[in-house]
Amino acid sequence: MRLPAVLAVLLLLACSGGSPSPPPRPELTVLAAASLAPVLPEIVSAYEAAHGLRITTAFEASNSLRRRIEQGAPGDLFLSADRREPRALEAAGLAAPAADYARNRLVIVARPGVVADVFDLARPGLRLVAASPAVPAGAYADELVQGLARAPGAPAGFAADVAANILSREADVRGVLARVVLGEADAGFVYSSDAYERRQLEVLPIPTGVVEPEVVYAGVVLLGSAHHGQAEALLRALREPAAQAVFVRHGFLPLVDQ
């Protein structure tokens, strides 16, 4: 090939950048409840591989994430441990309509041999720990204690005595679990998925007839998202059988009873 022809080819390659480069993969940011930390990465990894996306996850207490979104934090999808926080964003005009995507159950875990039954939670000197009342797990815990206080056989003043035994209110449910595992507390209120993860802890049976809190996780696509369609598709995928099977394997409940 003559020199001018070689130069022409090189110039053409320089202008075109050589072979066409693949378009950049969309990157979604998912703001997720702390209790999803053991399960969501597995679901996200499979979804990324199947759909050619990059997904960044940030885990924190649901109420903290809602406040961050209200203050302008960027994100595409918010996955809460309750319905209240997503609906608050929806009502504020910051999110699309909320959709349920998982269920859980609040349980009481204790170090082996320390607590006889749920009514022993009122025993003087017992060290209890719960999440902050502003956090879904903390609100569920208060609701469960009130239900136990109305149960047959509950000692007089049960709810007040339980409240007196709570030595700390943690920022999220993962903090509650850590304090019991480390022996800094005798018992604590966590989700069944947390208890499944830490099987060395005892789960105290809830007496028959006690009305337990309904623990439903809901998510919303944020209206400021640059990837609204992809975020919406991911939220739908969390409700599908493949993702639900992963949730159940990590101790969550099926979204719909089967």
Side-chain angles (χ1 to χ4, degrees):
M1 185 181 295
R2 291 179 300 174
L3 185 58
V6 173
L7 293 175
V9 170
L10 292 175
L11 181 61
L12 179 62
L13 289 174
C15 292
S16 65
S19 59
S21 58
R25 292 187 298 169
E27 182 168 352
L28 300 184
T29 298
V30 178
L31 307 176
S35 56
L36 294 170
V39 60
L40 192 61
E42 180 178 343
I43 297 173
V44 160
S45 179
Y47 192 85
E48 283 179 315
H51 295 83
L53 298 173
R54 289 191 300 169
I55 302 174
T56 300
T57 51
F59 298 100
E60 200 174 325
S62 297
N63 67 317
S64 296
L65 290 172
R66 188 255 307 155
R67 287 198 304 269
R68 286 178 53 192
I69 293 166
E70 290 173 340
Q71 293 165 3
D76 299 292
L77 181 62
F78 171 44
L79 300 177
S80 182
D82 66 357
R83 288 168 167 160
R84 180 182 62 185
E85 306 295 356
R87 287 176 176 174
L89 292 176
E90 180 185 344
L94 297 173
D100 299 342
Y101 66 90
R103 293 172 60 236
N104 214 330
R105 179 173 177 249
L106 195 79
V107 298
I108 303 164
V109 294
R111 295 190 297 116
V114 175
V115 182
D117 57 31
V118 292
F119 297 131
D120 208 23
L121 298 180
R123 188 182 77 213
L126 190 77
R127 299 175 302 163
L128 277 175
V129 64
S132 163
V135 175
Y140 293 138
D142 291 344
E143 187 178 342
L144 179 57
V145 169
Q146 292 302 320
L148 291 170
R150 294 189 292 269
F158 174 80
D161 291 340
V162 168
N165 282 343
I166 294 179
L167 58 90
S168 73
R169 289 279 194 166
E170 300 298 313
D172 57 47
V173 72
R174 305 296 291 174
V176 175
L177 181 66
R179 296 207 66 175
V180 180
V181 169
L182 294 173
E184 297 172 356
D186 299 316
F189 299 87
V190 301
Y191 294 121
S192 60
S193 53
D194 301 305
Y196 184 85
E197 180 188 353
R198 296 289 186 173
R199 300 188 191 186
Q200 74 270 33
L201 300 177
E202 292 182 347
V203 177
L204 304 181
I206 303 297
T208 302
V210 172
V211 178
E212 300 182 42
E214 183 184 22
V215 181
V216 180
Y217 287 43
V220 285
V221 176
L222 302 179
L223 294 184
S225 168
H227 308 289
H228 193 277
Q230 290 94 334
E232 198 172 55
L234 176 55
L235 181 56
R236 285 197 305 269
L238 296 179
R239 299 168 53 88
E240 294 174 357
Q244 288 296 301
V246 179
F247 277 120
V248 171
R249 181 154 47 79
H250 283 267
F252 286 75
L253 303 178
L255 186 58
V256 178
D257 289 324
Q258 298 176 355

